[in-house]
Amino acid sequence: MIRPVLYVDLPGIIYSIDRRARSKQHEFANFVCWLEPEEKRLPLPPFLRNIFPLNPASRTWICEDHWRILGFAQVQERPSHTMWDVSYLASMVQRNISSDDVLAALIEYMLEMAAGHGILRIFAKVEDEIPEQELFQRAGFQRYARELTYVYDPNVGAQFIAPSDVNTNLPSLRRWNRHHVWGLHQLYRSVTPQRVQMAEMLENSEEFAKLHVGSLRPLPSPLSRGRENYVCDVGVRLGAWLRLCPSHGSGPHQLSLVVHPEHAELAEPLLRFGIRKLQEKGIPTRSIYCQVHEYESVVIAALRNSGFEHTATRAMLVRHIALLAMRQRTVPALEQRVVYGVKGLGTVNSRQQ
C-alpha cells in the first residue's frame, strides 16, 4: 500500500541514518534520488517550511506492508506550482521483496498524483548509468542533460591559487538586486542549449529567479540562511552569476556559477572570489562543492584550473505529464488520431497515440 505522510521529513531522517550506516559498512536503504545538503530550493530552513501546512513545499509518500516501510518518495514543488522535483526516491533493504518493484510502484503512484494536481513536468536526478535509470525510462522519463559535481579540497586546491589571485579586482561585480531578474534569465538562455530549454520550459524570468536565487524580496538574516548572490554587470548584459551557500553544520559549502560564453575571462576570478568568501564564513579547511551542467565548458575549465576535482555525474531526467482533452473543440488542431514524438531531449522517445 502507498499512502501520503504529512509534514514530516521522513526521507531526510532515513537518509541521515543510511549515511551513518554506510560509514560503518552497512546498508540501510537504496537511495536512487536524494538532496544534497544545500540543494533545497526554498530559502526557509526545514523546520519553518514544515510549519505552514496550507501550502506545503513537499509531498511524501511511503510504500508499506503491514506497517513495515518498503520504500518512499518525496517531491519538492517549484515556485510555478506546475512542476515537481523528485527530491528522494528509495527502497528499504529487504530480502524478500524486489527493490525494483517497490521503486516502480512509487514512480507510477507519483505520476498519478502529479496528473491529479495539475503538474505539467516532473524532474529527477539519478546517478548516471545505474540500473534503476531504466525504471524511469519505462515510466516515460527522458534524459536531457548531465550534471557534474566538482569538489574543492582546501588542502589540495590551495596550490592552484596564487596570493595575487585572491585579491583579483572585479569592477563589474555587484550584489544581486531584483532588477537583475531579466538579465539572469537572458544569461541562462545564452548558456543553455535549445534542447535543454525545451525540456525545462523556464520561460518566465521571475519564476526562474525564484527557482535559482530564492525569494526576490530581502529576507531577514535568519531566514536567508547566509546565502549570497552576486552578478557581473558588464553593461549590455550580465556576464556572470555567482551564488554562495555557506554550510552551517558539518557539511561542505556550496557554490554555483554561470558565465556568459563571451565573458569567459570572468570565470576564474569570480570562482576564486567565491572560494575566499566561503572560507571567511566558516572553517577554512571545509570543502566546497559545485554542480555544473556538462555543456558549461567555461565553468568546467575554471573549476579544474582552480583545484576542483570531478567526483560524480548525475543524469537529469524530465517527464512531461499529458493532459486529456475531453472535447475536440477544446483543441481544434487535434485530429481523432494523433501521434506525438519528442526528439532531441534524450535517448528515449515519448509517443502518445
Side-chain angles (χ1 to χ4, degrees):
M1 181 181 73
I2 299 178
R3 64 178 178 88
V5 177
L6 302 179
Y7 320 132
V8 177
D9 190 17
L10 178 65
I13 296 172
I14 296 179
Y15 181 77
S16 299
I17 296 174
D18 180 68
R19 296 302 99 176
R20 179 167 297 183
R22 290 178 184 273
S23 66
K24 299 179 180 179
Q25 308 303 316
H26 298 290
E27 189 178 13
F28 189 72
N30 173 32
F31 276 84
V32 179
C33 300
W34 67 90
L35 280 183
E36 300 294 344
E38 289 293 337
E39 206 176 353
K40 297 187 184 284
R41 298 298 184 188
L42 295 183
L44 298 180
F47 74 93
L48 286 181
R49 287 201 303 271
N50 292 326
I51 287 177
F52 305 101
L54 296 179
N55 185 24
S58 63
R59 298 178 185 271
T60 305
W61 305 281
I62 63 172
C63 179
E64 61 181 3
D65 179 31
H66 296 90
W67 301 100
R68 182 181 60 170
I69 298 179
L70 305 179
F72 52 86
Q74 185 184 82
V75 295
Q76 297 279 344
E77 188 175 85
R78 291 193 176 186
S80 63
H81 307 299
T82 60
M83 304 182 195
W84 282 351
D85 287 296
V86 180
S87 50
Y88 289 100
L89 177 66
S91 61
M92 306 302 292
V93 175
Q94 308 286 340
R95 295 184 178 180
N96 55 345
I97 298 178
S98 170
S99 174
D100 286 355
D101 291 343
V102 173
L103 295 173
L106 285 166
I107 293 174
E108 182 180 355
Y109 187 85
M110 179 175 58
L111 293 176
E112 292 178 1
M113 292 297 101
H117 287 83
I119 300 302
L120 302 182
R121 293 170 195 83
I122 301 180
F123 297 90
K125 297 177 184 178
V126 301
E127 286 187 303
D128 204 18
E129 305 300 337
I130 63 172
E132 289 82 359
Q133 194 173 148
E134 185 177 350
L135 298 175
F136 284 91
Q137 294 176 349
R138 291 176 183 173
F141 282 80
Q142 303 171 348
R143 176 174 58 81
Y144 63 93
R146 289 185 176 90
E147 181 183 75
L148 313 178
T149 299
Y150 282 82
V151 176
Y152 176 83
D153 183 351
N155 298 321
V156 178
Q159 60 182 319
F160 290 83
I161 302 178
S164 58
D165 294 334
V166 175
N167 298 318
T168 300
N169 186 24
L170 289 167
S172 61
L173 187 64
R174 305 283 188 273
R175 283 272 190 173
W176 164 265
N177 191 285
R178 186 186 177 94
H179 70 258
H180 292 130
V181 166
W182 184 83
L184 179 61
H185 189 248
Q186 296 307 305
L187 176 62
Y188 160 80
R189 292 172 62 88
S190 66
V191 172
T192 308
Q194 188 65 30
R195 72 177 190 279
V196 179
Q197 294 185 43
M198 291 175 60
E200 296 179 336
M201 293 297 290
L202 299 174
E203 298 297 330
N204 186 294
S205 58
E206 289 210 357
E207 292 293 342
F208 177 82
K210 290 177 182 178
L211 179 64
H212 292 277
V213 177
S215 175
L216 301 184
R217 299 179 180 178
L219 292 174
S221 180
L223 300 184
S224 65
R225 307 185 71 190
R227 294 185 179 183
E228 297 182 6
N229 286 272
Y230 298 88
V231 297
C232 284
D233 190 345
V234 294
V236 295
R237 65 172 68 95
L238 291 186
W241 167 71
L242 173 70
R243 185 182 68 177
L244 306 178
C245 298
S247 172
H248 298 286
S250 58
H253 300 304
Q254 184 191 19
L255 179 150
S256 301
L257 178 64
V258 178
V259 179
H260 195 285
E262 296 182 10
H263 300 279
E265 72 282 355
L266 295 173
E268 290 189 33
L270 195 57
L271 183 60
R272 294 171 186 184
F273 165 81
I275 294 173
R276 176 173 61 84
K277 292 286 289 185
L278 288 173
Q279 290 179 337
E280 290 175 352
K281 291 181 176 296
I283 303 173
T285 56
R286 182 167 294 173
S287 60
I288 303 170
Y289 76 94
C290 178
Q291 293 171 325
V292 61
H293 298 156
E294 60 183 344
Y295 49 81
E296 298 180 78
S297 56
V298 171
V299 176
I300 291 174
L303 290 169
R304 292 172 176 171
N305 294 336
S306 300
F308 282 77
E309 293 187 1
H310 177 224
T311 60
T313 300
R314 289 200 287 181
M316 303 175 66
L317 311 176
V318 64
R319 172 62 153 84
H320 296 264
I321 308 298
L323 298 179
L324 180 62
M326 300 301 295
R327 299 180 181 178
Q328 184 175 356
R329 66 182 183 182
T330 304
V331 187
L334 283 179
E335 299 178 359
Q336 294 184 0
R337 178 180 177 86
V338 177
V339 177
Y340 173 64
V342 179
K343 298 182 178 180
L345 298 183
T347 57
V348 180
N349 289 340
S350 67
R351 295 177 63 84
Q352 300 175 14
Q353 182 170 310

